[in-house]
Amino acid sequence: RHACIPRGHFDKAEEAFIMRILLLRHGEPDYAIDGLTEKGKREAELLGSRLLHYEIREVYTSPLGRARETAEPYLRKAGKEAEVLPWLQEFRGRFPDPETGTLRVAWDIKPRLWDPENWADAKLFEGGNVREIWDETREGIDRLMARYGLFRDGPVWCGDGNGDFTIALFCHFAISMVTAGYLMRISPLVLLQRTLTHPTSLTELVTEERIKGESAFRMTRLGDLTHLEAAGEPRSMYGIFPQVYTGIDSTDPTLNHNKTLRP
């Protein structure tokens, strides 16, 4: 355990450094080939150009093809390489649906069934592996933050690693929201069930160090699509589940995802 050692507040003349984490959802997917559609490739090119305006120190990707293909334009334009982090693949926790008995992904829950408190240990998830995948994800985030000298201590991240730099994680909707929830110490279910980040959207978290040696993460952007809107590229609606569940397997990624929405 790494306990924070507070070192006083900043003087007005001092500059507090900010660590920025970019959570980038993959482009419109072709799940059959674990790659991108033609639209998804256009989205990825636009995102890659946008990211050149950030001074990104390191790039990390999910091992899944659609995330790696989304990262490729930026890596090519910036002359960088990415490290694959196995835990960044889409959040894989599943639970037995209380109505059908079939396994359902933990980020697809009918609104009346979920409880934002103590989410991974909720009765709803009994008999599934949500807790196991949640623990795996937290351990992965802890290892990544430790690379930058930050260690979780209750509600804050402590250490001397907070600095003025940016890292980028190319991944998926659910794992990015779970990651954001853990970094900000809020229930991931709130983000999973009440937000949607469209393909190639940018979510930004930054550190706030009010006391020297103690950092907390704040979200400054959620699902930003400026790069698509500026180019007149419609947003993809992949991620919106069917409105009517009767007779529909809402875990099927091919359902209700062929829509686009103009800015």
Side-chain angles (χ1 to χ4, degrees):
R1 179 179 175 81
H2 298 267
C4 290
I5 303 176
R7 297 191 301 280
H9 294 271
F10 287 96
D11 294 329
K12 290 184 178 180
E14 291 184 283
E15 180 181 3
F17 292 109
I18 293 177
M19 175 186 181
R20 177 187 290 112
I21 298 178
L22 304 180
L23 298 168
L24 306 160
R25 188 183 173 192
H26 58 75
E28 182 176 272
D30 182 337
Y31 288 111
I33 62 171
D34 188 23
L36 301 181
T37 64
E38 288 304 312
K39 173 174 171 48
K41 294 175 184 178
R42 294 196 304 272
E43 294 171 341
E45 287 289 340
L46 293 170
L47 176 62
S49 296
R50 176 185 182 178
L51 293 177
L52 292 176
H53 297 288
Y54 289 85
E55 294 182 3
I56 297 175
R57 180 187 293 186
E58 282 93 23
V59 179
Y60 303 96
T61 73
S62 155
L64 300 185
R66 53 192 183 272
R68 298 175 72 172
E69 190 172 349
T70 301
E72 193 279 329
Y74 169 71
L75 297 174
R76 169 170 36 85
K77 297 171 192 284
K80 288 181 174 291
E81 295 183 354
E83 179 181 345
V84 175
L85 298 179
W87 62 269
L88 266 185
Q89 64 181 292
E90 187 57 293
F91 191 78
R92 308 180 317 284
R94 292 178 177 267
F95 68 99
D97 187 296
E99 296 177 350
T100 67
T102 59
L103 290 177
R104 183 181 293 276
V105 289
W107 40 273
D108 172 26
I109 305 173
K110 298 174 187 178
R112 288 188 180 278
L113 297 180
W114 67 279
D115 179 356
E117 302 298 331
N118 302 312
W119 79 284
D121 294 317
K123 185 175 180 61
L124 178 66
F125 292 146
E126 289 180 0
N129 67 341
V130 175
R131 162 55 68 177
E132 175 186 345
I133 302 303
W134 172 231
D135 289 342
E136 172 191 287
T137 302
R138 293 189 303 168
E139 290 169 3
I141 298 170
D142 286 343
R143 289 194 301 270
L144 180 60
M145 291 298 98
R147 296 186 185 188
Y148 301 99
L150 293 175
F151 304 89
R152 182 155 177 164
D153 184 33
V156 298
W157 293 82
C158 61
D160 295 321
N162 188 33
D164 189 15
F165 61 90
T166 301
I167 64 174
L169 283 67
F170 288 83
C171 49
H172 313 267
F173 166 64
I175 190 64
S176 63
M177 293 299 96
V178 171
T179 299
Y182 182 63
L183 289 171
M184 295 188 295
R185 205 192 183 203
I186 63 176
S187 170
L189 278 185
V190 175
L191 299 173
L192 292 172
Q193 298 297 128
R194 292 293 181 259
T195 69
L196 173 66
T197 62
H198 298 272
T200 69
S201 61
L202 182 153
T203 296
E204 179 184 82
L205 304 179
V206 301
T207 51
E208 181 178 66
E209 192 175 9
R210 298 185 184 185
I211 298 176
K212 295 178 183 180
E214 291 189 359
S215 297
F217 281 96
R218 300 191 73 167
M219 182 181 290
T220 55
R221 296 175 189 264
L222 174 65
D224 188 282
L225 288 173
T226 302
H227 51 286
L228 298 189
E229 294 170 352
E233 179 71 32
R235 70 189 70 173
S236 171
M237 293 300 288
Y238 271 68
I240 292 289
F241 285 98
Q243 296 295 318
V244 181
Y245 283 84
T246 304
I248 295 178
D249 177 10
S250 63
T251 65
D252 183 347
T254 65
L255 289 175
N256 204 38
H257 296 309
N258 59 352
K259 300 179 182 178
T260 58
L261 185 65
R262 290 279 176 187

PDB file of all heavy atoms in Angstrom, residues 122-155:
ATOM      1  N   ALA A 122     -23.085  -6.607  -6.811  1.00  0.00           N
ATOM      2  CA  ALA A 122     -24.543  -6.554  -6.793  1.00  0.00           C
ATOM      3  C   ALA A 122     -25.132  -7.950  -6.987  1.00  0.00           C
ATOM      4  O   ALA A 122     -24.549  -8.800  -7.671  1.00  0.00           O
ATOM      5  CB  ALA A 122     -25.051  -5.630  -7.882  1.00  0.00           C
ATOM      6  N   LYS A 123     -26.273  -8.185  -6.372  1.00  0.00           N
ATOM      7  CA  LYS A 123     -26.935  -9.488  -6.481  1.00  0.00           C
ATOM      8  C   LYS A 123     -27.193  -9.851  -7.940  1.00  0.00           C
ATOM      9  O   LYS A 123     -27.149 -11.023  -8.324  1.00  0.00           O
ATOM     10  CB  LYS A 123     -28.250  -9.462  -5.704  1.00  0.00           C
ATOM     11  CG  LYS A 123     -28.970 -10.807  -5.659  1.00  0.00           C
ATOM     12  CD  LYS A 123     -30.202 -10.737  -4.773  1.00  0.00           C
ATOM     13  CE  LYS A 123     -30.932 -12.074  -4.733  1.00  0.00           C
ATOM     14  NZ  LYS A 123     -30.088 -13.155  -4.197  1.00  0.00           N
ATOM     15  N   LEU A 124     -27.442  -8.846  -8.764  1.00  0.00           N
ATOM     16  CA  LEU A 124     -27.693  -9.071 -10.179  1.00  0.00           C
ATOM     17  C   LEU A 124     -26.564  -9.841 -10.850  1.00  0.00           C
ATOM     18  O   LEU A 124     -26.795 -10.632 -11.768  1.00  0.00           O
ATOM     19  CB  LEU A 124     -27.876  -7.713 -10.873  1.00  0.00           C
ATOM     20  CG  LEU A 124     -28.104  -7.714 -12.382  1.00  0.00           C
ATOM     21  CD1 LEU A 124     -29.441  -8.378 -12.716  1.00  0.00           C
ATOM     22  CD2 LEU A 124     -28.050  -6.298 -12.926  1.00  0.00           C
ATOM     23  N   PHE A 125     -25.327  -9.641 -10.395  1.00  0.00           N
ATOM     24  CA  PHE A 125     -24.174 -10.241 -11.056  1.00  0.00           C
ATOM     25  C   PHE A 125     -23.761 -11.589 -10.472  1.00  0.00           C
ATOM     26  O   PHE A 125     -22.749 -12.159 -10.894  1.00  0.00           O
ATOM     27  CB  PHE A 125     -22.981  -9.278 -10.995  1.00  0.00           C
ATOM     28  CG  PHE A 125     -23.167  -8.033 -11.818  1.00  0.00           C
ATOM     29  CD1 PHE A 125     -22.629  -6.828 -11.396  1.00  0.00           C
ATOM     30  CD2 PHE A 125     -23.880  -8.063 -12.997  1.00  0.00           C
ATOM     31  CE1 PHE A 125     -22.790  -5.670 -12.149  1.00  0.00           C
ATOM     32  CE2 PHE A 125     -24.052  -6.920 -13.761  1.00  0.00           C
ATOM     33  CZ  PHE A 125     -23.503  -5.729 -13.339  1.00  0.00           C
ATOM     34  N   GLU A 126     -24.499 -12.091  -9.509  1.00  0.00           N
ATOM     35  CA  GLU A 126     -24.155 -13.389  -8.930  1.00  0.00           C
ATOM     36  C   GLU A 126     -24.213 -14.479 -10.000  1.00  0.00           C
ATOM     37  O   GLU A 126     -25.122 -14.505 -10.826  1.00  0.00           O
ATOM     38  CB  GLU A 126     -25.126 -13.732  -7.797  1.00  0.00           C
ATOM     39  CG  GLU A 126     -24.938 -12.874  -6.551  1.00  0.00           C
ATOM     40  CD  GLU A 126     -25.909 -13.245  -5.440  1.00  0.00           C
ATOM     41  OE1 GLU A 126     -26.729 -14.173  -5.651  1.00  0.00           O
ATOM     42  OE2 GLU A 126     -25.854 -12.611  -4.365  1.00  0.00           O
ATOM     43  N   GLY A 127     -23.219 -15.362  -9.973  1.00  0.00           N
ATOM     44  CA  GLY A 127     -23.161 -16.437 -10.947  1.00  0.00           C
ATOM     45  C   GLY A 127     -22.416 -16.077 -12.218  1.00  0.00           C
ATOM     46  O   GLY A 127     -22.283 -16.917 -13.118  1.00  0.00           O
ATOM     47  N   GLY A 128     -21.923 -14.846 -12.294  1.00  0.00           N
ATOM     48  CA  GLY A 128     -21.155 -14.424 -13.458  1.00  0.00           C
ATOM     49  C   GLY A 128     -19.710 -14.149 -13.094  1.00  0.00           C
ATOM     50  O   GLY A 128     -19.247 -14.497 -12.006  1.00  0.00           O
ATOM     51  N   ASN A 129     -18.978 -13.510 -13.995  1.00  0.00           N
ATOM     52  CA  ASN A 129     -17.557 -13.234 -13.757  1.00  0.00           C
ATOM     53  C   ASN A 129     -17.258 -11.742 -13.737  1.00  0.00           C
ATOM     54  O   ASN A 129     -16.147 -11.315 -14.007  1.00  0.00           O
ATOM     55  CB  ASN A 129     -16.698 -13.915 -14.821  1.00  0.00           C
ATOM     56  CG  ASN A 129     -16.902 -13.326 -16.218  1.00  0.00           C
ATOM     57  OD1 ASN A 129     -17.905 -12.667 -16.474  1.00  0.00           O
ATOM     58  ND2 ASN A 129     -15.958 -13.566 -17.111  1.00  0.00           N
ATOM     59  N   VAL A 130     -18.270 -10.913 -13.417  1.00  0.00           N
ATOM     60  CA  VAL A 130     -18.086  -9.476 -13.425  1.00  0.00           C
ATOM     61  C   VAL A 130     -17.033  -9.051 -12.411  1.00  0.00           C
ATOM     62  O   VAL A 130     -16.152  -8.240 -12.711  1.00  0.00           O
ATOM     63  CB  VAL A 130     -19.423  -8.758 -13.154  1.00  0.00           C
ATOM     64  CG1 VAL A 130     -19.217  -7.247 -13.031  1.00  0.00           C
ATOM     65  CG2 VAL A 130     -20.421  -9.066 -14.264  1.00  0.00           C
ATOM     66  N   ARG A 131     -17.105  -9.586 -11.197  1.00  0.00           N
ATOM     67  CA  ARG A 131     -16.118  -9.245 -10.171  1.00  0.00           C
ATOM     68  C   ARG A 131     -14.706  -9.620 -10.620  1.00  0.00           C
ATOM     69  O   ARG A 131     -13.757  -8.850 -10.449  1.00  0.00           O
ATOM     70  CB  ARG A 131     -16.484  -9.939  -8.860  1.00  0.00           C
ATOM     71  CG  ARG A 131     -15.361 -10.030  -7.831  1.00  0.00           C
ATOM     72  CD  ARG A 131     -14.751  -8.711  -7.473  1.00  0.00           C
ATOM     73  NE  ARG A 131     -15.639  -7.837  -6.736  1.00  0.00           N
ATOM     74  CZ  ARG A 131     -15.264  -6.640  -6.266  1.00  0.00           C
ATOM     75  NH1 ARG A 131     -14.033  -6.213  -6.462  1.00  0.00           N
ATOM     76  NH2 ARG A 131     -16.122  -5.883  -5.612  1.00  0.00           N
ATOM     77  N   GLU A 132     -14.550 -10.777 -11.233  1.00  0.00           N
ATOM     78  CA  GLU A 132     -13.231 -11.232 -11.695  1.00  0.00           C
ATOM     79  C   GLU A 132     -12.656 -10.275 -12.743  1.00  0.00           C
ATOM     80  O   GLU A 132     -11.484  -9.880 -12.665  1.00  0.00           O
ATOM     81  CB  GLU A 132     -13.356 -12.633 -12.286  1.00  0.00           C
ATOM     82  CG  GLU A 132     -12.078 -13.171 -12.912  1.00  0.00           C
ATOM     83  CD  GLU A 132     -12.296 -14.495 -13.619  1.00  0.00           C
ATOM     84  OE1 GLU A 132     -13.349 -15.133 -13.391  1.00  0.00           O
ATOM     85  OE2 GLU A 132     -11.423 -14.885 -14.423  1.00  0.00           O
ATOM     86  N   ILE A 133     -13.465  -9.884 -13.725  1.00  0.00           N
ATOM     87  CA  ILE A 133     -12.977  -8.995 -14.771  1.00  0.00           C
ATOM     88  C   ILE A 133     -12.754  -7.588 -14.222  1.00  0.00           C
ATOM     89  O   ILE A 133     -11.822  -6.882 -14.618  1.00  0.00           O
ATOM     90  CB  ILE A 133     -13.963  -8.969 -15.947  1.00  0.00           C
ATOM     91  CG1 ILE A 133     -14.156 -10.388 -16.507  1.00  0.00           C
ATOM     92  CG2 ILE A 133     -13.457  -8.048 -17.058  1.00  0.00           C
ATOM     93  CD1 ILE A 133     -12.867 -11.066 -16.956  1.00  0.00           C
ATOM     94  N   TRP A 134     -13.584  -7.157 -13.279  1.00  0.00           N
ATOM     95  CA  TRP A 134     -13.397  -5.858 -12.614  1.00  0.00           C
ATOM     96  C   TRP A 134     -12.067  -5.815 -11.884  1.00  0.00           C
ATOM     97  O   TRP A 134     -11.316  -4.834 -11.973  1.00  0.00           O
ATOM     98  CB  TRP A 134     -14.558  -5.613 -11.675  1.00  0.00           C
ATOM     99  CG  TRP A 134     -14.487  -4.436 -10.741  1.00  0.00           C
ATOM    100  CD1 TRP A 134     -14.690  -4.469  -9.397  1.00  0.00           C
ATOM    101  CD2 TRP A 134     -14.255  -3.060 -11.060  1.00  0.00           C
ATOM    102  NE1 TRP A 134     -14.600  -3.212  -8.857  1.00  0.00           N
ATOM    103  CE2 TRP A 134     -14.332  -2.321  -9.857  1.00  0.00           C
ATOM    104  CE3 TRP A 134     -13.989  -2.383 -12.244  1.00  0.00           C
ATOM    105  CZ2 TRP A 134     -14.143  -0.942  -9.808  1.00  0.00           C
ATOM    106  CZ3 TRP A 134     -13.797  -0.995 -12.192  1.00  0.00           C
ATOM    107  CH2 TRP A 134     -13.873  -0.304 -10.988  1.00  0.00           C
ATOM    108  N   ASP A 135     -11.734  -6.891 -11.157  1.00  0.00           N
ATOM    109  CA  ASP A 135     -10.453  -6.941 -10.457  1.00  0.00           C
ATOM    110  C   ASP A 135      -9.292  -6.915 -11.447  1.00  0.00           C
ATOM    111  O   ASP A 135      -8.278  -6.241 -11.227  1.00  0.00           O
ATOM    112  CB  ASP A 135     -10.371  -8.204  -9.593  1.00  0.00           C
ATOM    113  CG  ASP A 135     -11.285  -8.146  -8.373  1.00  0.00           C
ATOM    114  OD1 ASP A 135     -11.714  -7.030  -8.007  1.00  0.00           O
ATOM    115  OD2 ASP A 135     -11.580  -9.210  -7.795  1.00  0.00           O
ATOM    116  N   GLU A 136      -9.428  -7.648 -12.541  1.00  0.00           N
ATOM    117  CA  GLU A 136      -8.390  -7.670 -13.577  1.00  0.00           C
ATOM    118  C   GLU A 136      -8.177  -6.273 -14.152  1.00  0.00           C
ATOM    119  O   GLU A 136      -7.033  -5.841 -14.365  1.00  0.00           O
ATOM    120  CB  GLU A 136      -8.804  -8.633 -14.688  1.00  0.00           C
ATOM    121  CG  GLU A 136      -7.907  -8.612 -15.918  1.00  0.00           C
ATOM    122  CD  GLU A 136      -8.527  -9.373 -17.076  1.00  0.00           C
ATOM    123  OE1 GLU A 136      -8.558 -10.614 -17.024  1.00  0.00           O
ATOM    124  OE2 GLU A 136      -9.012  -8.730 -18.037  1.00  0.00           O
ATOM    125  N   THR A 137      -9.267  -5.569 -14.375  1.00  0.00           N
ATOM    126  CA  THR A 137      -9.183  -4.220 -14.938  1.00  0.00           C
ATOM    127  C   THR A 137      -8.518  -3.261 -13.970  1.00  0.00           C
ATOM    128  O   THR A 137      -7.638  -2.472 -14.345  1.00  0.00           O
ATOM    129  CB  THR A 137     -10.589  -3.711 -15.298  1.00  0.00           C
ATOM    130  OG1 THR A 137     -11.191  -4.616 -16.226  1.00  0.00           O
ATOM    131  CG2 THR A 137     -10.519  -2.323 -15.909  1.00  0.00           C
ATOM    132  N   ARG A 138      -8.920  -3.304 -12.705  1.00  0.00           N
ATOM    133  CA  ARG A 138      -8.319  -2.418 -11.708  1.00  0.00           C
ATOM    134  C   ARG A 138      -6.821  -2.670 -11.584  1.00  0.00           C
ATOM    135  O   ARG A 138      -6.030  -1.725 -11.475  1.00  0.00           O
ATOM    136  CB  ARG A 138      -8.994  -2.607 -10.354  1.00  0.00           C
ATOM    137  CG  ARG A 138     -10.446  -2.137 -10.329  1.00  0.00           C
ATOM    138  CD  ARG A 138     -10.997  -2.155  -8.914  1.00  0.00           C
ATOM    139  NE  ARG A 138     -10.891  -3.474  -8.321  1.00  0.00           N
ATOM    140  CZ  ARG A 138     -11.072  -3.731  -7.032  1.00  0.00           C
ATOM    141  NH1 ARG A 138     -11.344  -2.736  -6.196  1.00  0.00           N
ATOM    142  NH2 ARG A 138     -10.999  -4.960  -6.568  1.00  0.00           N
ATOM    143  N   GLU A 139      -6.430  -3.953 -11.591  1.00  0.00           N
ATOM    144  CA  GLU A 139      -5.007  -4.271 -11.502  1.00  0.00           C
ATOM    145  C   GLU A 139      -4.251  -3.732 -12.712  1.00  0.00           C
ATOM    146  O   GLU A 139      -3.126  -3.242 -12.592  1.00  0.00           O
ATOM    147  CB  GLU A 139      -4.833  -5.788 -11.385  1.00  0.00           C
ATOM    148  CG  GLU A 139      -5.312  -6.352 -10.048  1.00  0.00           C
ATOM    149  CD  GLU A 139      -5.384  -7.865 -10.045  1.00  0.00           C
ATOM    150  OE1 GLU A 139      -4.999  -8.469 -11.083  1.00  0.00           O
ATOM    151  OE2 GLU A 139      -5.841  -8.439  -9.035  1.00  0.00           O
ATOM    152  N   GLY A 140      -4.876  -3.818 -13.891  1.00  0.00           N
ATOM    153  CA  GLY A 140      -4.240  -3.281 -15.089  1.00  0.00           C
ATOM    154  C   GLY A 140      -4.067  -1.779 -15.018  1.00  0.00           C
ATOM    155  O   GLY A 140      -3.012  -1.241 -15.383  1.00  0.00           O
ATOM    156  N   ILE A 141      -5.092  -1.080 -14.546  1.00  0.00           N
ATOM    157  CA  ILE A 141      -4.993   0.373 -14.403  1.00  0.00           C
ATOM    158  C   ILE A 141      -3.932   0.737 -13.376  1.00  0.00           C
ATOM    159  O   ILE A 141      -3.135   1.661 -13.580  1.00  0.00           O
ATOM    160  CB  ILE A 141      -6.355   0.970 -14.014  1.00  0.00           C
ATOM    161  CG1 ILE A 141      -7.396   0.695 -15.103  1.00  0.00           C
ATOM    162  CG2 ILE A 141      -6.225   2.484 -13.768  1.00  0.00           C
ATOM    163  CD1 ILE A 141      -8.814   1.045 -14.687  1.00  0.00           C
ATOM    164  N   ASP A 142      -3.906   0.027 -12.257  1.00  0.00           N
ATOM    165  CA  ASP A 142      -2.902   0.302 -11.224  1.00  0.00           C
ATOM    166  C   ASP A 142      -1.491   0.141 -11.774  1.00  0.00           C
ATOM    167  O   ASP A 142      -0.603   0.955 -11.491  1.00  0.00           O
ATOM    168  CB  ASP A 142      -3.106  -0.638 -10.030  1.00  0.00           C
ATOM    169  CG  ASP A 142      -4.306  -0.266  -9.171  1.00  0.00           C
ATOM    170  OD1 ASP A 142      -4.792   0.874  -9.296  1.00  0.00           O
ATOM    171  OD2 ASP A 142      -4.764  -1.129  -8.396  1.00  0.00           O
ATOM    172  N   ARG A 143      -1.268  -0.913 -12.564  1.00  0.00           N
ATOM    173  CA  ARG A 143       0.067  -1.130 -13.139  1.00  0.00           C
ATOM    174  C   ARG A 143       0.436  -0.003 -14.102  1.00  0.00           C
ATOM    175  O   ARG A 143       1.579   0.461 -14.124  1.00  0.00           O
ATOM    176  CB  ARG A 143       0.127  -2.479 -13.859  1.00  0.00           C
ATOM    177  CG  ARG A 143       0.114  -3.695 -12.929  1.00  0.00           C
ATOM    178  CD  ARG A 143       0.514  -4.959 -13.682  1.00  0.00           C
ATOM    179  NE  ARG A 143      -0.387  -5.237 -14.799  1.00  0.00           N
ATOM    180  CZ  ARG A 143      -1.486  -5.981 -14.704  1.00  0.00           C
ATOM    181  NH1 ARG A 143      -1.822  -6.502 -13.531  1.00  0.00           N
ATOM    182  NH2 ARG A 143      -2.247  -6.201 -15.761  1.00  0.00           N
ATOM    183  N   LEU A 144      -0.539   0.428 -14.890  1.00  0.00           N
ATOM    184  CA  LEU A 144      -0.273   1.509 -15.838  1.00  0.00           C
ATOM    185  C   LEU A 144       0.038   2.805 -15.099  1.00  0.00           C
ATOM    186  O   LEU A 144       0.999   3.507 -15.436  1.00  0.00           O
ATOM    187  CB  LEU A 144      -1.477   1.697 -16.760  1.00  0.00           C
ATOM    188  CG  LEU A 144      -1.360   2.805 -17.812  1.00  0.00           C
ATOM    189  CD1 LEU A 144      -0.191   2.542 -18.744  1.00  0.00           C
ATOM    190  CD2 LEU A 144      -2.654   2.946 -18.599  1.00  0.00           C
ATOM    191  N   MET A 145      -0.735   3.149 -14.085  1.00  0.00           N
ATOM    192  CA  MET A 145      -0.488   4.378 -13.341  1.00  0.00           C
ATOM    193  C   MET A 145       0.851   4.331 -12.606  1.00  0.00           C
ATOM    194  O   MET A 145       1.533   5.352 -12.466  1.00  0.00           O
ATOM    195  CB  MET A 145      -1.628   4.633 -12.354  1.00  0.00           C
ATOM    196  CG  MET A 145      -2.961   4.994 -12.997  1.00  0.00           C
ATOM    197  SD  MET A 145      -2.921   6.538 -13.955  1.00  0.00           S
ATOM    198  CE  MET A 145      -2.698   5.856 -15.628  1.00  0.00           C
ATOM    199  N   ALA A 146       1.225   3.138 -12.149  1.00  0.00           N
ATOM    200  CA  ALA A 146       2.502   3.002 -11.448  1.00  0.00           C
ATOM    201  C   ALA A 146       3.679   3.350 -12.352  1.00  0.00           C
ATOM    202  O   ALA A 146       4.722   3.812 -11.886  1.00  0.00           O
ATOM    203  CB  ALA A 146       2.651   1.580 -10.905  1.00  0.00           C
ATOM    204  N   ARG A 147       3.525   3.140 -13.661  1.00  0.00           N
ATOM    205  CA  ARG A 147       4.582   3.521 -14.591  1.00  0.00           C
ATOM    206  C   ARG A 147       4.858   5.019 -14.532  1.00  0.00           C
ATOM    207  O   ARG A 147       5.958   5.472 -14.858  1.00  0.00           O
ATOM    208  CB  ARG A 147       4.193   3.159 -16.025  1.00  0.00           C
ATOM    209  CG  ARG A 147       4.019   1.680 -16.310  1.00  0.00           C
ATOM    210  CD  ARG A 147       3.779   1.458 -17.801  1.00  0.00           C
ATOM    211  NE  ARG A 147       3.497   0.072 -18.102  1.00  0.00           N
ATOM    212  CZ  ARG A 147       3.399  -0.425 -19.340  1.00  0.00           C
ATOM    213  NH1 ARG A 147       3.568   0.401 -20.378  1.00  0.00           N
ATOM    214  NH2 ARG A 147       3.116  -1.685 -19.547  1.00  0.00           N
ATOM    215  N   TYR A 148       3.834   5.768 -14.146  1.00  0.00           N
ATOM    216  CA  TYR A 148       3.952   7.223 -14.098  1.00  0.00           C
ATOM    217  C   TYR A 148       4.058   7.737 -12.667  1.00  0.00           C
ATOM    218  O   TYR A 148       3.846   8.919 -12.403  1.00  0.00           O
ATOM    219  CB  TYR A 148       2.762   7.856 -14.824  1.00  0.00           C
ATOM    220  CG  TYR A 148       2.702   7.406 -16.267  1.00  0.00           C
ATOM    221  CD1 TYR A 148       1.837   6.383 -16.664  1.00  0.00           C
ATOM    222  CD2 TYR A 148       3.551   7.952 -17.221  1.00  0.00           C
ATOM    223  CE1 TYR A 148       1.816   5.943 -17.980  1.00  0.00           C
ATOM    224  CE2 TYR A 148       3.536   7.520 -18.536  1.00  0.00           C
ATOM    225  CZ  TYR A 148       2.665   6.508 -18.916  1.00  0.00           C
ATOM    226  OH  TYR A 148       2.659   6.070 -20.224  1.00  0.00           O
ATOM    227  N   GLY A 149       4.369   6.826 -11.734  1.00  0.00           N
ATOM    228  CA  GLY A 149       4.612   7.226 -10.354  1.00  0.00           C
ATOM    229  C   GLY A 149       3.382   7.583  -9.568  1.00  0.00           C
ATOM    230  O   GLY A 149       3.462   8.337  -8.594  1.00  0.00           O
ATOM    231  N   LEU A 150       2.219   7.079  -9.980  1.00  0.00           N
ATOM    232  CA  LEU A 150       0.978   7.365  -9.262  1.00  0.00           C
ATOM    233  C   LEU A 150       0.395   6.076  -8.698  1.00  0.00           C
ATOM    234  O   LEU A 150       0.313   5.060  -9.395  1.00  0.00           O
ATOM    235  CB  LEU A 150      -0.044   8.018 -10.194  1.00  0.00           C
ATOM    236  CG  LEU A 150       0.297   9.428 -10.698  1.00  0.00           C
ATOM    237  CD1 LEU A 150      -0.744   9.897 -11.697  1.00  0.00           C
ATOM    238  CD2 LEU A 150       0.404  10.403  -9.531  1.00  0.00           C
ATOM    239  N   PHE A 151      -0.006   6.131  -7.419  1.00  0.00           N
ATOM    240  CA  PHE A 151      -0.535   4.966  -6.726  1.00  0.00           C
ATOM    241  C   PHE A 151      -1.814   5.364  -5.992  1.00  0.00           C
ATOM    242  O   PHE A 151      -1.878   6.410  -5.345  1.00  0.00           O
ATOM    243  CB  PHE A 151       0.498   4.428  -5.725  1.00  0.00           C
ATOM    244  CG  PHE A 151       1.812   4.100  -6.351  1.00  0.00           C
ATOM    245  CD1 PHE A 151       2.804   5.071  -6.445  1.00  0.00           C
ATOM    246  CD2 PHE A 151       2.046   2.841  -6.886  1.00  0.00           C
ATOM    247  CE1 PHE A 151       4.022   4.780  -7.041  1.00  0.00           C
ATOM    248  CE2 PHE A 151       3.259   2.550  -7.481  1.00  0.00           C
ATOM    249  CZ  PHE A 151       4.254   3.519  -7.564  1.00  0.00           C
ATOM    250  N   ARG A 152      -2.818   4.525  -6.094  1.00  0.00           N
ATOM    251  CA  ARG A 152      -4.110   4.857  -5.511  1.00  0.00           C
ATOM    252  C   ARG A 152      -4.072   4.746  -3.991  1.00  0.00           C
ATOM    253  O   ARG A 152      -3.542   3.782  -3.439  1.00  0.00           O
ATOM    254  CB  ARG A 152      -5.199   3.946  -6.075  1.00  0.00           C
ATOM    255  CG  ARG A 152      -6.580   4.281  -5.531  1.00  0.00           C
ATOM    256  CD  ARG A 152      -7.675   3.848  -6.456  1.00  0.00           C
ATOM    257  NE  ARG A 152      -8.986   4.107  -5.876  1.00  0.00           N
ATOM    258  CZ  ARG A 152     -10.117   4.124  -6.555  1.00  0.00           C
ATOM    259  NH1 ARG A 152     -10.097   3.891  -7.845  1.00  0.00           N
ATOM    260  NH2 ARG A 152     -11.253   4.362  -5.969  1.00  0.00           N
ATOM    261  N   ASP A 153      -4.637   5.737  -3.353  1.00  0.00           N
ATOM    262  CA  ASP A 153      -4.752   5.725  -1.899  1.00  0.00           C
ATOM    263  C   ASP A 153      -6.124   6.280  -1.546  1.00  0.00           C
ATOM    264  O   ASP A 153      -6.307   7.485  -1.408  1.00  0.00           O
ATOM    265  CB  ASP A 153      -3.646   6.572  -1.265  1.00  0.00           C
ATOM    266  CG  ASP A 153      -3.691   6.492   0.265  1.00  0.00           C
ATOM    267  OD1 ASP A 153      -4.071   5.433   0.790  1.00  0.00           O
ATOM    268  OD2 ASP A 153      -3.358   7.500   0.918  1.00  0.00           O
ATOM    269  N   GLY A 154      -7.102   5.401  -1.448  1.00  0.00           N
ATOM    270  CA  GLY A 154      -8.460   5.849  -1.175  1.00  0.00           C
ATOM    271  C   GLY A 154      -9.003   6.692  -2.314  1.00  0.00           C
ATOM    272  O   GLY A 154      -8.990   6.287  -3.471  1.00  0.00           O
ATOM    273  N   PRO A 155      -9.436   7.916  -2.026  1.00  0.00           N
ATOM    274  CA  PRO A 155     -10.055   8.752  -3.053  1.00  0.00           C
ATOM    275  C   PRO A 155      -9.070   9.488  -3.955  1.00  0.00           C
ATOM    276  O   PRO A 155      -9.489  10.179  -4.886  1.00  0.00           O
ATOM    277  CB  PRO A 155     -10.861   9.759  -2.229  1.00  0.00           C
ATOM    278  CG  PRO A 155     -10.067   9.898  -0.977  1.00  0.00           C
ATOM    279  CD  PRO A 155      -9.506   8.525  -0.695  1.00  0.00           C
TER     280      PRO A 155
END
